[in-house]
Amino acid sequence: MVRRAGRSLLAVLLVFVLVMGIYLAYVFLSWYRVEDNLVLEVQTIHDDGSDVGLKKHGIYRIASYNIGFGAYSADYSFFMDGGKESRARSAEAVAENVAGAVSAAASLDPDFLLLQEVDVDGTRSFHVDQWAQVCAQMHFLHGTFAQNYDSPFLFWPLLEPHGANRAGIAVFSRYPIASALRRQLPIERGVMKLVDLDRCYSVQRLPAPGEKGELVLYALHLSAYTSDGKIAEEQLEMLFADMLSEYEKGNWTIAGGDFNKDLLGNSGEVFGVSGPEYTWAQPVPAEMIPDGLTIVAPFDAASPTPSCRNSDRPYGPDTFCVTVDGFIVSDNVAVMDAQVLDTGFRWSDHNPVFMDFVLQ
């Protein structure tokens, strides 16, 4: 009897090991990276017949918003941040959150809009095509979409797996985009690459008729779930080098998005709640920022508002908040204003940020 029970247990263990082996083989074999220097399609979202280019000395507004794949209502918590949930609550909730987020971004009346965590096909977002939804809702002339990652099916948590998810970075513009490119960023190595996923930034070139240069607009979403946060710094170094090269050619350069870095440098002090030593919420070392470029952290001293909340619990007064969303500009771009729009994290774990600027 004891032997029979022992054999049964051994059989169960062998089956478990076999299944886990097959699953791990599937994950590693399915994992891939999108090629570097991939040309992106510039799509016409709404054609009103206009073809007006950029001009020097005009005031423009750019906004950025991580819409959190349509899952993060204010009472949502995410398992990878220490919370409980792994998916959005329903397809209807996804559509509602995306619609609310887009309406909030549209209220800023931006000339350029950068969105992150836009799912086009995800288990976690009930396969709602958020790129299509945003295009239908927004009234920009031009847009690009760069796939940030396409993850294999994650069978965790067991009762409600996070699943397989394809997401990316969307850029919208009121002005013509001549061309766009997807640049592959450095990521974690070894097993950690499965958590870090693929990463990229997109590069949009916008002409300025009659001017010597062009606006080179970068949209980014840097790594968060890494072993020590150094990968995000390597990603920044690559971006800095790219932007400086364009600036030295006489072009205006602006980058915006979710840096997953504390752009204020002391968000815990500013917003009154200190958080653990998260790898994704560390300041950008000052010595990393090269001459010719400036990081712009949206901030209003009279009414401090964070751009992101930690999702280990529903949003409340004890939630750790930080500003990780912002911009980088070259010295020939004059920043007039940069702020965070306070939405109370109603539709995402981020608030939208914006910056007013002039091309000098």
Side-chain angles (χ1 to χ4, degrees):
M1 193 78 171
V2 174
R3 285 184 185 175
R4 190 174 302 142
R7 287 197 207 100
S8 298
L9 179 60
L10 180 60
V12 169
L13 288 173
L14 289 174
V15 170
F16 174 78
V17 170
L18 179 62
V19 169
M20 286 301 298
I22 293 172
Y23 172 67
L24 290 175
Y26 150 75
V27 169
F28 276 96
L29 292 173
S30 300
W31 189 90
Y32 72 98
R33 296 206 69 185
V34 177
E35 64 187 90
D36 195 12
N37 291 302
L38 177 69
V39 176
L40 300 175
E41 178 187 0
V42 178
Q43 301 188 35
T44 299
I45 308 301
H46 294 284
D47 187 0
D48 66 356
S50 66
D51 195 29
V52 179
L54 297 168
K55 297 292 184 183
K56 280 199 299 188
H57 309 305
I59 299 178
Y60 299 101
R61 173 169 289 186
I62 183 171
S64 178
Y65 199 179
N66 182 328
I67 65 172
F69 64 89
Y72 292 81
S73 51
D75 60 349
Y76 184 89
S77 66
F78 189 52
F79 79 108
M80 291 189 73
D81 292 324
K84 297 180 179 179
E85 299 171 87
S86 59
R87 302 180 185 178
R89 290 168 181 168
S90 66
E92 292 74 22
V94 170
E96 179 181 346
N97 286 331
V98 171
V102 172
S103 293
S107 73
L108 295 171
D109 194 27
D111 298 292
F112 312 97
L113 175 62
L114 318 178
L115 300 178
Q116 303 87 46
E117 286 205 46
V118 180
D119 276 14
V120 291
D121 186 17
T123 308
R124 66 186 184 179
S125 51
F126 292 85
H127 306 284
V128 174
D129 187 341
Q130 297 168 17
W131 163 252
Q133 180 181 345
V134 175
C135 285
Q137 190 174 346
M138 298 300 292
H139 292 283
F140 286 95
L141 298 182
H142 309 283
T144 67
F145 180 83
Q147 179 180 299
N148 206 24
Y149 52 80
D150 181 8
S151 65
F153 197 99
L154 175 62
F155 277 101
W156 191 262
L158 291 176
L159 297 181
E160 190 178 69
H162 191 57
N165 303 286
R166 186 157 62 95
I169 301 168
V171 174
F172 297 92
S173 172
R174 287 180 174 172
Y175 298 89
I177 300 173
S179 63
L181 199 67
R182 181 193 189 276
R183 291 302 317 275
Q184 186 187 90
L185 283 167
I187 61 168
E188 289 269 17
R189 301 160 186 86
V191 176
M192 282 300 295
K193 71 182 183 182
L194 302 176
V195 178
D196 194 16
L197 307 175
D198 201 357
R199 290 290 172 178
C200 73
Y201 60 76
S202 63
V203 187
Q204 285 68 214
R205 294 184 175 274
L206 291 92
E211 308 294 349
K212 292 182 179 180
E214 60 185 351
L215 172 61
V216 185
L217 180 60
Y218 299 81
L220 58 92
H221 185 187
L222 304 186
S223 294
Y225 302 111
T226 60
S227 55
D228 58 10
K230 295 297 182 183
I231 284 296
E233 293 180 8
E234 291 182 28
Q235 294 170 348
L236 278 174
E237 288 174 351
M238 175 179 164
L239 176 65
F240 288 153
D242 196 346
M243 294 182 71
L244 275 180
S245 174
E246 294 293 343
Y247 172 50
E248 290 165 358
K249 295 174 186 175
N251 294 323
W252 302 283
T253 67
I254 298 175
D258 180 353
F259 289 78
N260 275 312
K261 288 287 187 182
D262 185 352
L263 299 185
L264 295 178
N266 60 341
S267 286
E269 296 176 22
V270 172
F271 303 118
V273 179
S274 297
E277 293 297 312
Y278 296 113
T279 60
W280 60 270
Q282 300 305 307
V284 177
E287 63 273 13
M288 278 190 62
I289 307 169
D291 293 339
L293 299 178
T294 302
I295 292 181
V296 180
F299 185 70
D300 181 358
S303 180
T305 302
S307 78
C308 178
R309 71 173 177 93
N310 192 32
S311 300
D312 60 335
R313 68 194 72 183
Y315 178 55
D318 60 344
T319 300
F320 172 63
C321 292
V322 59
T323 290
V324 299
D325 305 273
F327 307 94
I328 305 171
V329 300
S330 51
D331 283 353
N332 54 358
V333 176
V335 176
M336 312 300 291
D337 193 15
Q339 295 187 34
V340 181
L341 176 65
D342 189 357
T343 67
F345 300 108
R346 182 174 176 182
W347 302 289
S348 171
D349 58 330
H350 290 248
N351 280 319
V353 300
F354 70 90
M355 178 181 74
D356 296 333
F357 65 93
V358 174
L359 303 177
Q360 295 184 322

